[in-house]
């Protein structure tokens, strides 16, 4: 049962639905349903039938082994997107010998196992499928295109050269060979180390693009936080009320702000309260606001923000429509006045932080880069003292880089990763 099949397009009715097959029986299955196997990579209109009964008129694509997404013999059936059509074709496929439905992410898993994608690319693909904003889409596509693999490939090349130099010294230590390879080894190692550090520093920003920036709206009760959040989100996402202190917990709204993913927090009003439940809300609000990437302090005329603003935070006067014109930025959740300027200010500040992004995007990457960097620091500190030791440090660094691409020691994370894929991917 080595040939798998699944609907690759989203479930539900649609114009077209795509069913994908991969494995040695894919073309045989196409022959069974379509009566022939079209030339690879040429879309052909075929009548699919089962036991003489017509299933659908479909566009059929075949891919030869070594020239498909999974690396295996594969095929795609582009069907009319009716739920009944897809169900009938899937039923017909499961009746064929050697075929079985795919597990979630199984196509991608085969692509990884056959070396068509490295692990970082698989993660990029997972992120691309999840992408909601422009920044997320671009970042995921960069990772999927194999940029991590190319970069690691360059580092590997330099480290392998450094190791070869060390080993040559070990082998010829008793002979009359010039042994002063250290300056070149040091040059190679410090070059790679600098790159590793730079990439590592960018992971934080890349993670923000993946998971979203957090922006907290902070201010006293009734200053208009919930109304502002609703206006920003363009929908009723938080409770607004005349009674002070109704937003007891932290309300979150995810939105796309100028292409960047942002989670907006409407925090409980900052004030001393006798009410125990509300006090907990205020404490939670303070914590979340402290941890946020950016705070928008909503204040009344002449009022100071209840927390000390940090670099990049915004202090804005609320209820601008009430008209007591005083200088400084003002906003009204009710009329929308000043909203555009506020959104521009927030996205400008966040975009500035997003530019530090490198190619690696996950905590797993940061850890692998970190241990590679540590090994190289060891090698550099060890210096020319013992070439055997230096070579060992370099080997450790290479192992960490292999881990980054999923070449070694990653079985445990694979199951997790593929479980996050949908069936048909
Ligand atoms: P929060 O406690 O800070 O979340 O404040 P709310 O958003 O619940 O608003 C408190 C009260 O102020 C409500 O009666 C709102 O209708 C009113 N309000 C909120 N924003 C504005 C605004 O921009 N202009 C005016 N005139 N009233 C507002």
């Amino acid at each position: 049962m080595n040939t798998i099949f699944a609907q690759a397009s989203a479930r539900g009715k649609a114009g077209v639905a795509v069913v994908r097959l991969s494995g040695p029986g894919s073309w045989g299955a196409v022959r069974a349903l379509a009566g022939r196997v079209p030339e690879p990579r040429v879309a052909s209109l075929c009548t699919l039938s089962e036991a003489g009964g017509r299933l659908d008129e479909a566009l059929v694509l075949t891919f030869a082994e070594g020239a498909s997404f999974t690396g295996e013999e594969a095929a795609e059936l582009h069907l009319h997107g009716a739920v009944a059509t897809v169900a009938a074709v899937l039923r017909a496929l499961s009746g064929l010998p050697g075929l079985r439905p795919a597990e979630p992410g199984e196509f991608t898993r085969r692509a990884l196992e056959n070396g068509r994608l490295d692990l970082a690319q698989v993660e990029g693909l997972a992120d691309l499928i999840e992408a909601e904003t422009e920044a997320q889409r671009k970042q995921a596509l960069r990772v999927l295109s194999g940029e991590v693999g190319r970069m690691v490939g360059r580092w590997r090349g330099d480290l392998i050269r450094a190791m070869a130099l060390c080993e040559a010294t070990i082998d010829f230590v008793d002979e009359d060979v010039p042994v002063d390879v250290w300056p070149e080894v040091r040059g190679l190692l410090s070059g790679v180390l600098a790159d590793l550090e730079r990439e590592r520093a960018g992971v934080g920003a890349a993670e923000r693009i993946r998971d979203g920036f957090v922006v907290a709206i902070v201010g006293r009760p009734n200053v208009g936080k919930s109304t502002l959040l609703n206006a920003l989100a363009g929908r009723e996402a938080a409770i607004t009320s005349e009674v002070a202190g109704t937003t007891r917990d932290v309300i979150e709204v995810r939105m796309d702000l100028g292409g960047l993913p942002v989670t907006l927090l409407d925090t409980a009003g900052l004030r001393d309260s006798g009410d125990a439940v509300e006090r907990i809300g205020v404490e939670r609000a303070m914590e979340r606001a402290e941890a946020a990437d950016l705070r928008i302090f909503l204040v009344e005329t002449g009022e100071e923000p209840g927390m000390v603003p940090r670099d990049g935070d915004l202090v804005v006067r609320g209820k601008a429509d009430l008209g007591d014109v005083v200088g400084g930025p003002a906003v009204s959740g009710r009329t929308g006045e000043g909203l555009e300027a506020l959104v521009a200010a927030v996205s400008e500040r966040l975009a500035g932080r997003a530019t530090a992004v490198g190619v690696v995007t996950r905590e797993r990457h940061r850890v692998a880069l970190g241990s590679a960097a540590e090994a190289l620091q060891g090698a550099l500190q060890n210096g020319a003292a013992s070439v055997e030791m230096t070579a060992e440090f370099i080997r450790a660094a290479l192992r960490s880089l292999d881990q980054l691409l999923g070449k070694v020691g990653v079985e445990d994370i694979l199951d997790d990763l593929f479980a996050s894929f949908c069936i048909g991917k």
Side-chain angles (χ1 to χ4, degrees):
M1 305 289 265
N2 242 345
T3 302
I4 52 171
F5 64 90
Q7 179 175 359
S9 51
R11 260 122 282 249
K13 61 179 147 187
V16 177
V18 178
V19 168
R20 193 183 225 183
L21 296 104
S22 181
S26 302
W27 288 16
V30 167
R31 184 174 295 109
L33 296 190
R36 65 190 176 101
V37 180
E39 192 186 327
R41 292 177 176 248
V42 177
S44 314
L45 192 62
C46 299
T47 302
L48 305 183
S49 26
E50 185 197 28
R54 271 154 65 105
L55 290 167
D56 196 18
E57 294 287 325
L59 211 54
V60 177
L61 268 167
T62 60
F63 302 89
E65 187 182 342
S68 72
F69 173 73
T70 56
E72 302 175 325
E73 180 183 303
E76 284 179 13
L77 311 174
H78 296 227
L79 310 168
H80 289 103
V83 176
T85 306
V86 175
V89 170
L90 292 179
R91 203 167 46 238
L93 287 174
S94 52
L96 296 174
L99 265 66
R100 65 165 171 84
E103 312 269 339
E106 196 170 4
F107 289 93
T108 311
R109 186 165 203 147
R110 290 186 173 195
L112 176 74
E113 280 162 4
N114 294 325
R116 305 290 296 184
L117 296 174
D118 63 42
L119 184 57
Q121 286 177 292
V122 170
E123 288 164 335
L125 181 58
D127 288 347
L128 184 62
I129 294 166
E130 296 288 327
E132 290 172 338
T133 73
E134 208 31 31
Q136 288 174 326
R137 182 185 70 76
K138 286 186 182 155
Q139 173 165 301
L141 204 56
R142 262 189 318 136
V143 177
L144 176 59
S145 75
E147 245 183 84
V148 180
R150 281 192 289 279
M151 187 176 67
V152 171
R154 282 195 301 277
W155 294 338
R156 278 185 62 95
D158 285 356
L159 294 184
I160 286 167
R161 159 119 190 108
M163 186 135 86
L165 288 167
C166 290
E167 277 169 356
T169 318
I170 299 168
D171 291 346
F172 295 109
V173 80
D174 297 329
E175 298 175 28
D176 202 14
V177 174
V179 290
D180 196 13
V181 296
W182 178 242
E184 187 179 352
V185 171
R186 186 179 49 211
L188 289 165
L189 299 187
S190 14
V192 174
L193 182 60
D195 285 357
L196 290 175
E197 297 294 8
R198 195 198 54 236
E199 279 300 325
R200 216 148 66 101
V203 178
E207 272 186 320
R208 281 294 182 271
I209 290 186
R210 258 167 49 81
D211 302 335
F213 289 90
V214 178
V215 174
I217 306 176
V218 187
R220 280 188 313 100
N222 264 334
V223 75
K225 297 181 297 299
S226 307
T227 309
L228 175 63
L229 178 103
N230 286 341
L232 284 171
R235 62 190 164 99
E236 291 289 314
I239 313 147
T240 60
S241 125
E242 308 278 341
V243 186
T246 38
T247 311
R248 283 198 164 148
D249 226 324
V250 180
I251 289 166
E252 305 187 9
V253 179
R254 239 180 114 74
M255 53 189 284
D256 179 333
L257 243 174
L260 294 171
V262 171
T263 300
L264 263 182
L265 303 182
D266 173 13
T267 60
L270 296 181
R271 64 162 188 185
D272 295 326
S273 171
D275 181 290
V277 179
E278 191 181 328
R279 223 167 31 234
I280 293 169
V282 172
E283 272 167 29
R284 282 201 48 180
M286 297 282 271
E287 280 168 22
R288 293 292 302 275
E290 284 284 355
D293 295 295
L294 191 93
R295 283 144 295 276
I296 300 171
F297 290 99
L298 207 55
V299 294
E300 283 176 9
T301 306
E303 188 197 356
E304 288 294 314
M307 289 162 65
V308 185
R310 274 188 255 153
D311 227 17
D313 285 353
L314 293 157
V315 182
V316 187
R317 197 165 49 79
K319 304 189 187 179
D321 56 301
L322 291 186
D324 44 350
V325 246
V326 188
V331 68
S332 165
R334 184 169 286 178
T335 64
E337 185 182 336
L339 269 190
E340 218 168 290
L342 179 63
V343 169
V346 171
S347 45
E348 187 202 340
R349 280 165 166 76
L350 296 182
R353 296 179 199 183
T355 51
V357 175
V359 182
V360 299
T361 53
R362 290 177 183 241
E363 184 55 25
R364 186 183 76 75
H365 303 162
R366 197 211 312 260
V367 171
L369 291 182
S371 56
E374 214 173 282
L376 292 186
Q377 273 153 1
L380 286 166
Q381 274 159 18
N382 182 54
S386 147
V387 263
E388 281 97 339
M389 280 276 281
T390 306
E392 194 44 48
F393 277 124
I394 298 173
R395 254 190 293 278
L398 282 166
R399 262 198 309 277
S400 301
L401 293 182
D402 283 347
Q403 235 160 39
L404 180 59
L405 295 185
K407 292 188 176 160
V408 289
V410 288
E411 266 313 310
D412 45 334
I413 66 163
L414 288 186
D415 290 332
D416 258 9
L417 181 63
F418 286 113
S420 77
F421 275 77
C422 34
I423 293 172
K425 254 296 154 201

